[in-house]
Amino acid sequence: MSEIPETASGVVWQSSPPGSIYDYIKVASFSIGPDGLVDQWSRRAVEQFGIAAEEVRGKDPVAVFIPSELRTRGHRKIAEILDGKEWTGLVPFRLPGERGAHGLAEVYVMPSETENGERAALCIVVDVRALRRIETDLAASQAIFGQSPFGFLLFGPDLTVLRANERFATVFGGSAEDHRGRTVYDYLSRPEAERMNAALQRVLETGESVTELQIVGSAPGTSDRRHWSVNLYRVHSGSGRPVGVAGLGIDVTRRHIAAREAASARRNLALLNEASARIGNSLDLETTARELLDVAVPGFCDLASVDLYLGLLTGDEAPPGRWGPARPESYGGSAELRRVAFASTVSENLLGAAAAGTPAGPQVGAVHHYPFSSACANALRTARVRLIPGEDGSLVQSTLAVPMVAHDTVVGLAQFSRAKGSEPFGERDRALAVELAARAAVCIDNARLYRREHERALILQRSLLPPGDPEAAGLDIACRYLPGNTATEVGGDWFDVIELPGHRTALVVGDVMGRGLRAAVAMGELRTAVRTLALLDLEPAEVLSALDEIARGLGTPSGAQQASRVAHKSRGPELSEVYLATCVYAVYDPVTRRCTFANAGHLPPVLVEPGEEALMLDVPPGMPLGVGGEPFEEVQVELPEGALLALYTDGLVESRDHPLDEGLGAFRRALTEPGRPVPEPRAPDGPADAPNGGTPSDSDGGSRSRSLEDVCDHVLATLDTRHGEDDIALLMARIQGLASEAVGDWRLPREPRSVGRARELARAQLGAWELDPLVDTVELLVSELVTNALRYGEGEIRLRLLRDRTLVCEVWDAGLVQPRRRRARDTDEGGRGLQLVGLLSAAWGSRRTPRGKTVWFELALPDGDSTAEPSVEQLLSMF
C-alpha cells in the first residue's frame, strides 16, 4: 500500500495504486485442498504460468508443474505440507509457451484448514528471475546513485527532492538525508531556480528529456560563481506510471572558464586580424585614429578615445611626447594634446555621467592636457599601461590608459573603457590593448612622416610652378598640372609663364624624363635656368642652346660645364647621371601678335584659329635637352585674334593603351569641340571671344564660346589620359593682342632736337591715355634714354609707348653697345642718367634686337593717388 496519511480523525486506509512492488516481482497464489489437488487458481497464476484455472483446478500440482524426474520428491513434499509443515524452497517449473524451457520459482507454502477442519495449503509463488532482476537493478541503482562522482537528485511528482547522493551533499552541505523534501529554490537564485523548476515540470509532463541545461549558482558559504550542466529525465514505475524526475548535475566551471578563455583568445586574434586589415589604410593621422576605434568599439570595449600630441598634428619637428618644463607644477601636467577620435556604444544622454579622466571628457578637436599626477599623464610619461577604476556613480567600470608608442616615441594616448555590467579587463585584455595601440601608433607615425615629406614635396613642387593664375599682356591663360605620382604629387613636367620686356610673354612647357622627386629636382633646376635665361632676353633658340648646356652639366660630380661635357663624351653615362628633358620655348609679342617658337624634342604646339579645326604647328622638334650636338631652329607664326594656343606634355596624349597619333588626334578634336561657338539657334560662323581676355558674352548674335578654364576641364575629361602613368602639364593661351590705341610708336631722326620731340610725343600720348600723373616722370626718363641713344647709339631712333597693366617705354637704335649703369664721381658732370632711370622706374633694362638694341623702362599705372616722388636721400644717393 501507499503512504497512510494522517487526518484529524485518525488513520485512513488507502488502496495502493497500480505499479506497486508486486508488479515488479510477479507474485502469484493458489491453494491445495486436503486431497492434494489444486482447488483455487489466481489470475496472477494464470499470467505467470500460462495455464487457465479450468485446466489446473482439481489436478495434481506436481504433475502439472514439476518435471517428471522430480515428481516423486514433489509428492513427498506435498504430503509433508498437508501434515501441517511449512515449507519454503525453489521449485523448477515449465515455462508456458516455451518448449522444453524451465523456470525457477520461489514457493512459500503455508498450511491451512478447511471449514471441516481438514488440512489444506496456501501457496505463494514468486518468479526467481524477477527477483534476480530486481536485485541487479537495485545494485546498479545504488552504484550509480551512491557512488557516482556527479551530483544526483531524484525529484518526486511534487518536484521536491526524494533522494540525493553523497556527491551532491558534499557540494551543498549536510548528509544525503538532509536534502529530502527540499526544492530547487533552496539551492539557486530565484531566476535560475525558476528556469530549473520550469524544466522539471516540462520533463514530468511531457517525458522529453533535457540535456545540458546550463545553470549558474554558488555553493553555500561561497561567493564563487559555479556553472553546472544538468541532464533531466522522467522516471517510471514498472507499469509505466511517472513517479518523478531524475537529475544529473556536472560541474562544468573549469570547462566554462576554458571555453571563455578560448573564446577570448579567438576574439583577440580576430580583433588583431581585423586591426591589421583596417588600421593604416590611410596616411592621414585622424583617419588612422578613427580606424583604431572602429576596431576597438564595440568588439573590445564600450568607450574609446585617441589623443595625439599637438606638435605631432601641427608638423612640429620636435620629437612627439616631449614633456613640459622641468617644474611640472608650473606647467600643470602633460604636453598639449588634441582629441582626434572618440567612439562609444553608450547613449549620448548617459555620457555626462562618465567620470572625469575617462574618454568621455574633452570633445573631439579640443586641445587639452592631463594633470601631472593623473594616471593618464603617468602613462604618457612612463610609456606604461595604467588601469583607471571607474568612480562611484559613473557608468564606466574601468579604463585602460594605453600610451601609443612608435619607434620608442610616445605619439599619443589611447583610452579603452568598459561600462558597468561588462566583463572587467584582464591581463590578456591589457596585452591586446597594448598591441592595438602599438599598431595604430606605427601607422600614425608613418602618417606623420608621410605628411611631413608630402608637405615638403608640395612646397618644392609649388615653388617650381607659377603661383596662382598666370597673367600676361594680350593673353588669356589657363593651365593644369597633374603629377603622375599622386602619393607625393611631384613630377618632372613643368610649365611657366614669364613676363618679358615690352609686354612680351615667354610660354614654356617641359618634361624631364623620369618620375618622382628626382625628376622634380631636375625640373626645378631647368625651370630656374629658363627663368634666368629669359631675363637676358635671348632669342628662343639661344635659350634652348644654353639650357642644353646646363642639362648636360646636371648630375655630374663637378659643377663645371667643361667637366660635364668631358664626362659625357669620354666616360659615358654610366659614370655621370644623365638628365634628359624636352621643352618648347615660345615668345609672344602682343603688339604684332607674332609668336616665335623653338623646340627641343617636345611635341608640337597646337593652334586653333577661330572657326577652324585644330592643327599642329610645324615646329622643328630638335634634340632633347642634355643630348647636345645639334642647333635649335626658330619658327615665327602670326597668331590671329581669338586663336587658341595649347602647349602640353606627352602624359596628356600618350598611353600604353593607344598609339601617340591616336592620342594627338583625340586632343585636337577635344580642342576643336569646345572652341566652336554654341548655336542659339543656328550654327555660327566663328567663335565669339570676349575682348581683352574677359568672359565671353552671350550677346554676339546668339553665339557664345566656353571660357578657357572650361576648355581645360573639357580636354582632361574627354581624353583617356590614364592619369597616374605619367605627369600631365597643359598650358593654354587665347590670343587677345594689344589694341592699336594702346600703342604709341614713333621714329625720330638722329639729331638733338629729337629729344624735345620725344618729350612732346610722350606728353601727348599720356594725355590721351589720361595718365597725367606720369607725365613728368615719363618726360624725364624718355629724355634720358633718347639722349643716350643719340650719344652712344647708331642709326634711326624709335620711341614706343605700350599701355596695358603697366606702362612700358622703349627706345630703339641700331647700336650694339649695351648701356651700363655706373656710379658717377662727385666731380663728374654726367653719368647719372641711368641711375635716375633705375630710381624712378619700377624696372628697366636693355636687350639686343636683330638690328641693334632696345632700352626700356616700366612704370606702374596710377591708382588715383599721386605718384610718389623720390625722396631727398634717394636723389642724393646718385652723387
Side-chain angles (χ1 to χ4, degrees), residues 391-722:
E391 297 183 1
D392 295 338
S394 168
L395 61 85
V396 174
Q397 179 192 84
S398 59
T399 299
L400 285 176
V402 185
M404 305 179 70
V405 183
H407 308 118
D408 297 328
T409 301
V410 179
V411 299
L413 183 73
Q415 296 184 67
F416 306 103
S417 298
R418 287 182 179 174
K420 290 183 177 177
S422 299
E423 186 177 353
F425 288 113
E427 286 302 319
R428 290 185 177 177
D429 294 324
R430 291 168 67 100
L432 177 61
V434 171
E435 180 65 22
L436 290 175
R439 294 194 181 196
V442 171
C443 295
I444 286 174
D445 194 52
N446 291 340
R448 175 184 68 88
L449 296 175
Y450 165 77
R451 175 182 287 185
R452 185 183 65 185
E453 298 303 321
H454 184 246
E455 289 176 352
R456 290 176 178 177
L458 283 180
I459 292 173
L460 172 64
Q461 186 73 41
R462 290 167 182 169
S463 67
L464 299 177
L465 295 175
D469 296 327
E471 295 181 355
L475 292 175
D476 182 15
I477 295 178
C479 50
R480 294 291 186 274
Y481 174 76
L482 300 175
N485 189 340
T486 56
T488 60
E489 298 190 19
V490 296
D493 290 12
W494 90 92
F495 66 90
D496 210 345
V497 179
I498 307 171
E499 295 187 37
L500 300 177
H503 285 317
R504 295 172 304 135
T505 303
L507 303 176
V508 188
V509 167
D511 182 1
V512 176
M513 296 184 183
R515 299 176 64 181
L517 192 59
R518 175 184 174 275
V521 172
M523 176 267 284
E525 293 176 318
L526 293 177
R527 178 178 178 270
T528 302
V530 170
R531 279 193 161 266
T532 303
L533 295 171
L535 293 177
L536 300 177
D537 210 354
L538 303 176
E539 295 297 323
E542 295 177 333
V543 171
L544 292 186
S545 296
L547 199 61
D548 177 64
E549 291 288 334
I550 295 173
R552 283 189 286 162
L554 295 179
T556 59
S558 171
Q561 293 289 338
Q562 182 65 29
S564 71
R565 288 193 290 270
V566 172
H568 278 281
K569 292 181 180 179
S570 63
R571 293 182 294 174
E574 69 278 359
L575 298 179
S576 62
E577 193 173 14
V578 177
Y579 285 82
L580 297 178
T582 62
C583 180
V584 170
Y585 186 90
V587 175
Y588 171 70
D589 188 343
V591 179
T592 62
R593 292 202 309 275
R594 291 192 181 99
C595 189
T596 304
F597 296 92
N599 190 351
H602 203 80
L603 294 174
V606 175
L607 179 66
V608 185
E609 297 187 9
E612 301 293 335
E613 300 287 337
L615 58 90
M616 290 186 293
L617 296 179
D618 186 12
V619 180
M623 299 298 291
L625 302 176
V627 175
E630 294 291 336
F632 297 98
E633 300 182 35
E634 292 182 356
V635 173
Q636 190 175 82
V637 180
E638 185 170 346
L639 305 178
E641 184 77 16
L644 189 64
L645 179 66
L647 305 179
Y648 54 96
T649 57
D650 57 0
L652 183 68
V653 295
E654 189 175 20
S655 172
R656 66 185 64 180
D657 297 329
H658 56 73
L660 178 60
D661 291 342
E662 183 179 331
L664 289 172
F667 180 43
R668 292 170 55 193
R669 289 191 297 272
L671 286 175
T672 301
E673 292 169 2
R676 294 187 182 277
V678 180
E680 291 184 1
R682 61 181 181 83
D685 296 326
D689 296 318
N692 301 323
T695 303
S697 172
D698 288 344
S699 60
D700 51 354
S703 65
R704 55 185 174 89
S705 63
R706 300 183 184 180
S707 70
L708 208 53
E709 295 292 335
D710 292 339
V711 175
C712 288
D713 294 337
H714 174 76
V715 168
L716 293 177
T718 302
L719 298 184
D720 183 16
T721 62
R722 297 300 173 98

Side-chain angles (χ1 to χ4, degrees), residues 284-295:
D284 180 75
L285 297 175
E286 291 82 356
T287 301
T288 302
R290 288 193 295 270
E291 289 171 347
L292 169 62
L293 300 194
D294 290 342
V295 173

Side-chain angles (χ1 to χ4, degrees), residues 47-244:
E47 296 173 0
Q48 185 168 338
F49 296 104
I51 302 174
E54 294 80 10
E55 297 178 6
V56 72
R57 191 180 296 117
K59 293 183 179 181
D60 182 4
V62 175
V64 174
F65 305 113
I66 298 176
S68 58
E69 65 271 13
L70 299 178
R71 289 178 183 174
T72 303
R73 185 179 177 185
H75 285 116
R76 196 165 49 244
K77 288 294 182 184
I78 290 294
E80 293 177 358
I81 292 170
L82 293 177
D83 287 341
K85 184 179 180 180
E86 290 187 2
W87 179 80
T88 301
L90 297 178
V91 177
F93 64 93
R94 291 193 301 269
L95 292 176
E98 299 183 17
R99 296 181 180 179
H102 294 79
L104 190 63
E106 183 174 312
V107 181
Y108 178 40
V109 181
M110 297 173 288
S112 63
E113 291 183 358
T114 63
E115 294 179 357
N116 301 325
E118 295 176 322
R119 293 183 178 181
L122 176 63
C123 300
I124 298 177
V125 183
V126 178
D127 190 343
V128 174
R129 289 186 305 173
L131 291 177
R132 298 292 181 268
R133 188 163 52 247
I134 291 175
E135 290 177 356
T136 303
D137 291 346
L138 288 175
S141 175
Q142 182 61 30
I144 295 174
F145 204 84
Q147 302 173 22
S148 171
F150 310 118
F152 205 101
L153 287 176
L154 180 61
F155 295 91
D158 57 354
L159 302 185
T160 60
V161 177
L162 297 179
R163 186 176 180 184
N165 69 347
E166 291 298 329
R167 177 58 182 169
F168 184 85
T170 301
V171 175
F172 286 92
S175 64
E177 292 296 324
D178 295 337
H179 294 278
R180 289 182 180 273
R182 294 184 180 180
T183 66
V184 292
Y185 292 92
D186 296 318
Y187 307 105
L188 303 174
S189 63
R190 187 167 190 83
E192 291 293 278
E194 289 178 351
R195 281 204 315 125
M196 180 73 172
N197 201 66
L200 288 170
Q201 189 67 39
R202 186 168 60 254
V203 170
L204 185 63
E205 293 176 355
T206 64
E208 296 179 358
S209 301
V210 173
T211 59
E212 296 186 357
L213 175 65
Q214 300 299 314
I215 298 297
V216 179
S218 300
T222 65
S223 59
D224 297 338
R225 289 169 59 89
R226 310 298 295 179
H227 295 263
W228 292 286
S229 176
V230 178
N231 297 317
L232 303 175
Y233 56 93
R234 190 167 67 181
V235 179
H236 302 86
S237 67
S239 62
R241 180 178 61 87
V243 295

